[in-house]
Amino acid sequence: MTLGRLNHIGIATPSIERSVETYRTLLGATAIGAPFDLPAQGVRVCFVDAPNTQIELIEPLDDSSPIAGFLRRNPAGGQHHLCFEVPDIDAAIADLTAKGATVLGQPRIGAHGTPIIFVHPRDMGGLLVELMEQPKDH
Ligand SMILES: CC[C@@H](C(=O)O)C(=O)SCCNC(=O)CCNC(=O)[C@H](O)C(C)(C)COP(=O)(O)OP(=O)(O)OC[C@H]1O[C@@H](n2cnc3c(N)ncnc32)[C@H](O)[C@@H]1OP(=O)(O)O
Ligand SMILES: [Co+2]
């Protein structure tokens, strides 16, 4: 597989509304999307645009959400994952699996409408990595 561009940095938060206010007032963020739910992923999401990438604020929808587990360990929230684009998600899965990495679950449709997968943090020095298939118009 070939590593593509950094699409977003996932930030877990107990409150998207409070985080948005912090990005707006402390860091001067102006391009802030409307929050939306992704029930299949168990999360509520809001994108804050930076000039070269996006910040993905993620709040759990319920206690079974992966973000709920993260917040139990880190109640104030914090950096949760990095997301890189890849040209072909199935090719990336095959390549990672052949190299002995653990791909978590099956591909799902992510917040940008294309398939995503996650690589277990133990394969990446403690970093949770999301790979998303790059949109066809990239
Ligand atoms: C918004 C939609 C989508 C998008 O389009 O962008 C998203 O980004 S969704 C984001 C949320 N979804 C996910 O994170 C799905 C993938 N995650 C998982 O499958 C699990 O969260 C996990 C990574 C396997 C962790 O499982 P969990 O049961 O929550 O935790 P454990 O207690 O079993 O922890 C195991 C191990 O992993 C460490 N860990 C957990 N989360 C992270 C993290 N975000 N970054 C780094 N390390 C993490 C945890 O500390 C444990 O380590 P050890 O104690 O050393 O075993
Ligand atoms: Co993400």
Side-chain angles (χ1 to χ4, degrees):
M1 63 174 267
T2 307
L3 185 65
R5 61 189 281 275
L6 176 68
N7 182 276
H8 64 261
I9 300 166
I11 306 289
T13 172
S15 165
I16 282 181
E17 278 66 30
R18 284 203 300 274
S19 290
V20 160
E21 213 35 43
T22 304
Y23 275 81
R24 197 194 308 278
T25 57
L26 213 55
L27 296 185
T30 53
I32 301 172
F36 58 98
D37 292 355
L38 280 174
Q41 315 273 3
V43 296
R44 182 166 176 75
V45 188
C46 177
F47 284 103
V48 176
D49 289 349
N52 58 346
T53 191
Q54 288 185 303
I55 308 299
E56 180 185 67
L57 300 172
I58 333 162
E59 188 185 300
L61 277 180
D62 57 41
D63 263 5
S64 62
S65 167
I67 300 302
F70 185 89
L71 290 176
R72 279 191 282 275
R73 290 189 296 272
N74 309 277
Q79 185 175 321
H80 182 263
H81 65 267
L82 295 185
C83 175
F84 296 100
E85 296 180 3
V86 292
D88 179 334
I89 205 80
D90 292 326
I93 293 169
D95 191 47
L96 286 159
T97 306
K99 290 172 178 163
T102 300
V103 174
L104 295 161
Q106 298 298 313
R108 296 183 187 180
I109 298 301
H112 292 88
T114 67
I116 61 169
I117 52 112
F118 288 84
V119 183
H120 200 286
R122 72 168 165 258
D123 294 317
M124 284 297 302
L127 173 70
L128 179 61
V129 167
E130 175 185 346
L131 297 177
M132 71 170 260
E133 192 162 282
Q134 65 198 38
K136 294 295 175 219
D137 55 3
H138 271 206

